[in-house]
């Protein structure tokens, strides 16, 4: 009898141990599952991590993150962020968009040519440069550096008259099988007559390029249409140009605003030096964000910005630009943008972004790293916090080119300093002396110590 009781007790102990082990295992599994969840609800709306390939070739790519949307809500984002990467000695072939864009050279050097006031202008861009391309203005990008990739971050304004087919629409001037040139849409009989070439030559002209929108200009890859144009003798270039111009004047006379795009872009590509000497000086120059003095600076970091008062081309696009660098552990004081939606791209380091809903609840508290994109709706309080292990640098765009006047909610220059008085104290249910003590406790402004 005693042995049976001992055996039963032993079975119960073993069973209890197994149950505890299984429960602990399930708890740890649920805990790990919870910790591995990709993002909270707020992160789904305010962190833009869904990249889409717009262009992808051997010579480069363009990726885009679409602005955040929340179904059934007033939260919506009128801007997308694009990332252009180009291999050495490559060309993003001439095109025009139905959206305004602002270019920021993150790494490398570029040459951009575009239509400006009915003339073709060309500019050399270096790291840190900001440049604008208005909607409808034909442009191209070149990376002529032989051993360095080009990386450009750009804003894409989807409210500037976008046709609504996609986030934005490209109209390629040059092209062939891939991408198709807008010339290919005309009737081939009319086109061959206008160009004064045979239909067989026309077919070759419109089907030779198949490398995509970003092409290698030379090297070990197949020579493409644009390389051949550049290698022609001057009189041959002019002969090709005249045929194109004659066609445009005949076939597109009813669309005056679009007829100059192809003519001007080809004129520049085929006769580059003369254009640079004669009309390049008329277009605005780029503005280098890295070379500008900080708008604000203290021991904990600095901020730089560009608006229409600093760089007039931003007035047409309606975008502002900024750059922030936070020291390890420092904090951009909680603040509100009353005039614009803000977008940020992490360039260096790691940190956290906190965003607050209008009802005073936390919308997002997300860890971000290099390459992440976030956006903050107008009026929503938010702050950025640098990790303790290194500086935190982020660049971004705003949806207003006017001078931004953020309202800070904490710090020496905050609303607590401006509003302190019996009314504000009563709103918190405390006395004026206590409110004054709280308002004066922080001696720094804008960028705060950890």
């Amino acid at each position: 009898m005693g042995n049976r009781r001992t055996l039963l007790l032993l079975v119960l102990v073993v069973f209890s141990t197994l149950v505890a082990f299984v429960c602990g295992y399930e708890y740890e599994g649920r805990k790990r599952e919870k910790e591995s969840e990709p993002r909270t609800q707020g992160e789904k709306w305010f962190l833009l991590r869904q990249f889409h390939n717009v262009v992808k070739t051997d010579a480069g790519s363009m990726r885009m993150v679409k602005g955040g949307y929340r179904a059934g809500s007033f939260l919506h984002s009128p801007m997308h962020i694009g990332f252009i990467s180009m291999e050495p000695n490559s060309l993003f072939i001439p095109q025009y968009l139905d959206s305004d864009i602002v270019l920021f050279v993150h790494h490398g050097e570029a040459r951009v040519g575009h239509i400006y006031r009915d003339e073709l202008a060309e500019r050399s861009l270096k790291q840190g440069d900001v440049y604008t391309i208005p909607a409808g203005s034909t442009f191209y990008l070149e990376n002529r550096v032989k051993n360095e990739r080009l990386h450009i971050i750009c804003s894409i304004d989807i409210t500037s008259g976008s046709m609504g087919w996609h986030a934005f629409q490209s109209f390629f001037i040059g092209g062939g099988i891939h991408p198709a040139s807008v010339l290919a849409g005309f009737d081939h009989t009319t086109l061959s007559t206008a160009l004064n070439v045979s239909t067989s030559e026309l077919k070759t002209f419109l089907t030779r390029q198949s490398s995509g929108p970003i092409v290698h200009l030379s090297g070990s890859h197949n020579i493409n249409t644009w390389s051949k144009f550049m290698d022609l003798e001057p009189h041959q270039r002019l002969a090709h140009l005249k045929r194109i111009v004659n066609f445009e004047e005949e076939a597109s006379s009813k669309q005056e605003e679009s007829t100059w795009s192809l003519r001007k872009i080809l004129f520049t590509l085929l006769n580059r030096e003369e254009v640079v000497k004669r009309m390049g000086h008329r277009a605005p120059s780029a503005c280098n964000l890295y070379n500008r003095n900080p708008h604000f600076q203290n021991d904990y970091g600095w901020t730089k910005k560009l608006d229409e008062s600093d760089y007039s081309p931003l007035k047409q696009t309606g975008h502002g630009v900024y750059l922030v660098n936070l020291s390890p552990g420092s904090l951009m004081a909680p603040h509100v943008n009353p005039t614009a939606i803000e977008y940020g791209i992490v360039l260096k380091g790691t940190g956290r972004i906190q965003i607050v809903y209008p009802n005073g609840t936390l919308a997002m508290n997300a860890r971000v790293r290099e390459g992440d994109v976030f956006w903050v709706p107008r009026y929503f309080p938010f702050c950025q916090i640098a990790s303790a292990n290194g500086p935190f640098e982020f660049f971004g765009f705003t949806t207003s080119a006017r001078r931004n006047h953020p309202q800070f909610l904490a710090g020496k220059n905050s609303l607590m300093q401006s509003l302190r008085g019996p009314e504000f104290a009563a709103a918190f249910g405390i006395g004026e002396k206590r409110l004054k003590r709280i308002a004066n406790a922080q001696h720094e402004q804008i960028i705060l110590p950890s």
Side-chain angles (χ1 to χ4, degrees):
M1 188 70 177
N3 291 337
R4 186 177 298 176
R5 289 180 178 177
T6 302
L7 180 60
L8 181 61
L9 182 60
L10 180 61
V11 170
L12 288 174
V13 170
V14 172
F15 179 78
S16 300
T17 303
L18 287 174
V19 169
F21 177 81
V22 171
C23 291
Y25 180 83
E26 289 180 348
Y27 171 79
E28 288 299 324
R30 287 195 300 268
K31 182 180 179 181
R32 285 194 298 270
E33 182 179 351
K34 185 176 181 180
E35 290 175 347
S36 64
E37 289 178 356
R39 61 180 77 180
T40 63
Q41 278 298 97
E43 290 180 66
K44 293 180 181 179
W45 299 322
F46 304 122
L47 274 188
L48 308 180
R49 283 177 170 165
Q50 295 297 320
F51 284 81
H52 304 272
N53 283 324
V54 179
V55 171
K56 188 172 180 61
T57 73
D58 291 339
S61 66
M62 179 177 180
R63 299 185 304 157
M64 183 188 69
V65 287
K66 293 184 178 181
Y69 294 88
R70 179 179 176 183
S73 171
F74 65 94
L75 293 179
H76 64 92
S77 168
M79 185 188 293
H80 299 329
I81 306 298
F83 297 82
I84 300 172
S85 177
M86 295 174 62
E87 294 294 320
N89 206 23
S90 61
L91 170 74
F92 205 150
I93 68 175
Q95 62 183 294
Y96 59 92
L97 305 179
D98 62 351
S99 305
D100 294 325
I101 61 174
V102 178
L103 305 175
F104 170 72
V105 181
H106 182 206
H107 183 76
E109 297 179 5
R111 180 185 293 174
V112 59
H114 78 109
I115 301 297
Y116 178 78
R117 295 182 180 176
D118 204 29
E119 300 290 358
L120 213 299
E122 190 172 67
R123 289 287 179 262
S124 294
L125 306 180
K126 61 182 182 296
Q127 185 171 337
D129 276 350
V130 174
Y131 201 74
T132 63
I133 306 290
S137 175
T138 301
F139 72 97
Y140 61 89
L141 285 169
E142 284 184 277
N143 179 13
R144 283 288 187 178
V145 181
K146 294 183 178 180
N147 56 0
E148 188 175 33
R149 285 191 179 93
L150 170 66
H151 295 286
I152 290 177
I153 302 173
C154 60
S155 66
I156 303 167
D157 183 5
I158 59 175
T159 62
S160 62
S162 176
M163 301 176 66
W165 297 343
H166 302 286
F168 66 97
Q169 183 65 45
S170 294
F171 297 80
F172 289 100
I173 304 299
I177 295 176
H178 175 52
S181 166
V182 291
L183 282 174
F186 291 99
D187 178 80
H188 281 199
T189 302
T190 302
L191 187 56
S192 62
T193 302
L195 293 175
N196 194 26
V197 298
S198 65
T199 54
S200 60
E201 186 175 355
L202 177 66
K203 184 177 180 180
T204 302
F205 176 70
L206 293 177
T207 59
R208 192 61 176 270
Q209 151 72 312
S210 60
S211 301
I214 303 178
V215 298
H216 291 278
L217 285 174
S218 62
S220 59
H221 297 76
N222 294 329
I223 299 176
N224 52 70
T225 303
W226 294 105
S227 295
K228 288 189 173 182
F229 266 119
M230 300 299 290
D231 292 337
L232 290 174
E233 294 295 326
H235 68 279
Q236 293 175 315
R237 296 179 185 177
L238 291 177
H240 277 279
L241 177 62
K242 287 178 180 178
R243 288 200 292 270
I244 298 296
V245 171
N246 290 336
F247 161 70
E248 281 204 332
E249 290 176 348
E250 291 184 28
S252 303
S253 60
K254 294 182 181 180
Q255 299 179 2
E256 292 297 331
E257 291 185 0
S258 63
T259 56
W260 46 259
S261 297
L262 178 59
R263 180 166 63 250
K264 298 296 183 181
I265 201 80
L266 284 178
F267 183 76
T268 296
L269 285 174
L270 304 183
N271 202 12
R272 183 189 306 274
E273 292 182 0
E274 181 179 342
V275 173
V276 172
K277 291 179 181 178
R278 187 164 65 87
M279 56 182 80
H281 65 281
R282 298 179 60 182
S285 299
C287 183
N288 193 278
L289 195 55
Y290 290 150
N291 292 341
R292 292 184 62 82
N293 293 325
H295 174 67
F296 173 82
Q297 185 173 18
N298 63 12
D299 293 338
Y300 313 107
W302 48 259
T303 65
K304 299 182 180 183
K305 66 176 184 62
L306 281 179
D307 56 41
E308 62 185 22
S309 65
D310 305 305
Y311 187 51
S312 60
L314 291 174
K315 184 175 183 178
Q316 183 169 351
T317 64
H319 297 174
V321 177
Y322 70 90
L323 180 67
V324 176
N325 185 289
L326 301 179
S327 301
S330 63
L331 162 74
M332 175 70 76
H335 59 287
V336 175
N337 284 328
T339 60
I341 297 171
E342 182 172 313
Y343 298 79
I345 302 96
V346 180
L347 301 183
K348 183 190 303 182
T350 60
R352 302 195 74 85
I353 309 297
Q354 294 188 4
I355 304 176
V356 175
Y357 283 128
N359 63 2
T361 61
L362 184 63
M364 185 182 79
N365 180 15
R367 181 179 174 84
V368 292
R369 59 186 182 278
E370 184 176 334
D372 278 346
V373 182
F374 61 90
W375 73 290
V376 185
R378 185 178 178 184
Y379 307 121
F380 276 45
F382 68 107
C383 69
Q384 300 97 341
I385 309 165
S387 299
N389 57 0
F392 182 41
E393 185 170 292
F394 51 96
F395 160 85
F397 304 96
T398 64
T399 56
S400 174
R402 296 182 179 181
R403 181 165 294 178
N404 189 28
H405 295 282
Q407 302 294 308
F408 286 91
L409 306 178
K412 192 176 180 179
N413 64 329
S414 69
L415 292 176
M416 295 193 72
Q417 293 287 340
S418 304
L419 292 175
R420 64 181 181 181
E423 299 84 5
F424 200 43
F428 282 101
I430 60 177
E432 285 187 72
K433 289 184 177 180
R434 187 175 182 184
L435 175 64
K436 183 178 180 180
R437 185 170 64 252
I438 294 173
N440 292 336
Q442 178 57 259
H443 302 292
E444 301 292 341
Q445 61 179 338
I446 301 181
I447 301 178
L448 311 177
S450 60

